Amino acid sequence: MNDLRLVTVNITPAIAQQWLDEWNIDNRPVSKSNVAKLAGMIRDGLWLLSGEPITFSARRLIQGQHRLLAIIEAGVAVQSVVVWNAPDAAYDILDQGRRRTAGDVIAARGHTNANTVAGMMRYLWCYEQNRGSFAVQRYDKYRYADVANRVTDKHIEAVQIGRKAWVKGAIRPAMASACVYVTMQIDPVLAQAWWADFGSDPTKGHNANILKTKMLKEAATKRKPTEELRWFWIVNAWNAERTGKQASAYTLRWVATDQLARFQ
């Protein structure tokens, strides 16, 4: 029977290096991107003494090599639980459970439609950061609490409207909710009417109808529209509405830029 020993250690970069030199054998390949991500979190002060241990068997490190490498790269000491003398066979079963998602953390805060909220927050993060793509940001578990902490009543209201406005094949609930949130900050009266119109049966010739028809038509083709293209169509139809113009095939034509299209 293994005599497990559990302690809390202030792990300096020097200690991390020593443990890796002496104990890191027969481990999985290092992911440099994961190390860089963890190191960034440490520098940003996002490391928490969570109870998730760095684990050693009697002969090797079996859990925590990326965290130790990140401590070295960050050049910052952090506290962590450390377990010694775990069964060596435990290596084969560690990290096999389902990863906790941002939606899980948001749901634990008491919010309904948590996955939609989480998806909306990702879209908004990319938009607010002036990114050129929605593919650049994937929340990692150390930032989930930060994501959940940014959720306000206005975000929840946007999700409630967005889930009524989304149209299968045209726009997903999370993207609809993100667009609702942004447009509500610009013109809440128009946004309420616009999204109610889009989610029901828009009057022919109205910009909401032109947009919905365009999105459904494109979704039916073999070449599925990208998220960025869908966003572009929504933004340009909304901007046309805001300026009293009618959206057309020309205004909804894709123009490649280094930023996501901006609502006006």
Side-chain angles (χ1 to χ4, degrees):
M1 181 176 180
N2 294 81
D3 183 17
L4 289 179
R5 183 163 60 93
L6 186 149
V7 292
T8 300
V9 180
N10 187 53
I11 306 174
T12 65
I15 290 174
Q17 187 65 65
Q18 180 183 354
W19 285 352
L20 287 168
D21 290 343
E22 297 178 358
W23 295 89
N24 197 26
I25 60 173
D26 299 332
N27 214 328
R28 61 178 172 172
V30 171
S31 166
K32 293 182 179 180
S33 62
N34 192 30
V35 172
K37 177 187 70 178
L38 293 171
M41 294 172 193
I42 293 172
R43 294 191 198 99
D44 292 343
L46 296 174
W47 181 282
L48 293 176
L49 181 59
S50 64
E52 182 178 3
I54 291 172
T55 308
F56 296 85
S57 70
R59 76 179 189 91
R60 61 171 173 159
L61 171 69
I62 61 175
Q63 186 180 38
Q65 72 163 334
H66 287 89
R67 282 170 281 165
L68 293 176
L69 288 166
I71 291 169
I72 296 169
E73 183 170 319
V76 178
V78 300
Q79 283 195 317
S80 176
V81 172
V82 179
V83 171
W84 297 92
N85 206 33
D88 197 70
Y91 177 85
D92 297 332
I93 62 173
L94 288 171
D95 298 325
Q96 298 298 308
R98 183 180 75 86
R99 293 191 63 179
R100 186 170 296 163
T101 67
D104 292 334
V105 177
I106 290 170
R109 304 293 176 89
H111 297 303
T112 57
N113 302 311
N115 288 332
T116 301
V117 176
M120 171 188 66
M121 298 301 285
R122 178 175 69 86
Y123 286 118
L124 291 175
W125 187 92
C126 293
Y127 182 72
E128 291 161 2
Q129 295 293 318
N130 292 319
R131 298 284 177 149
S133 169
F134 291 119
V136 297
Q137 172 69 1
R138 290 293 181 268
Y139 295 122
D140 54 77
K141 63 181 177 180
Y142 291 95
R143 294 190 187 272
Y144 288 170
D146 182 49
V147 174
N149 288 338
R150 294 205 308 269
V151 177
T152 67
D153 290 343
K154 289 183 178 180
H155 291 108
I156 300 304
E157 180 186 11
V159 168
Q160 292 170 345
I161 297 172
R163 287 187 64 83
K164 294 178 181 177
W166 81 282
V167 178
K168 186 175 181 179
I171 181 173
R172 296 174 179 173
M175 179 176 282
S177 300
C179 293
V180 169
Y181 179 83
V182 176
T183 55
M184 287 285 285
Q185 310 313 302
I186 297 171
D187 188 334
V189 175
L190 177 60
Q192 288 269 10
W194 163 270
W195 290 107
D197 194 22
F198 182 87
S200 57
D201 188 15
T203 303
K204 188 174 182 179
H206 285 194
N207 286 320
N209 174 265
I210 294 170
L211 171 64
K212 189 173 183 178
T213 301
K214 169 75 171 177
M215 297 182 82
L216 288 172
K217 180 180 178 181
E218 294 292 336
T221 65
K222 292 183 178 179
R223 188 185 65 179
K224 300 298 182 184
T226 64
E227 291 184 314
E228 294 75 22
L229 184 52
R230 293 175 195 270
W231 184 273
F232 176 86
W233 291 334
I234 295 166
V235 168
N236 281 274
W238 163 267
N239 290 345
E241 185 76 12
R242 282 268 293 163
T243 55
K245 300 176 182 178
Q246 186 179 70
S248 65
Y250 179 78
T251 59
L252 296 182
R253 183 179 300 170
W254 169 248
V255 178
T257 66
D258 59 355
Q259 291 185 349
L260 294 167
R262 311 298 296 181
F263 287 96
Q264 299 174 3

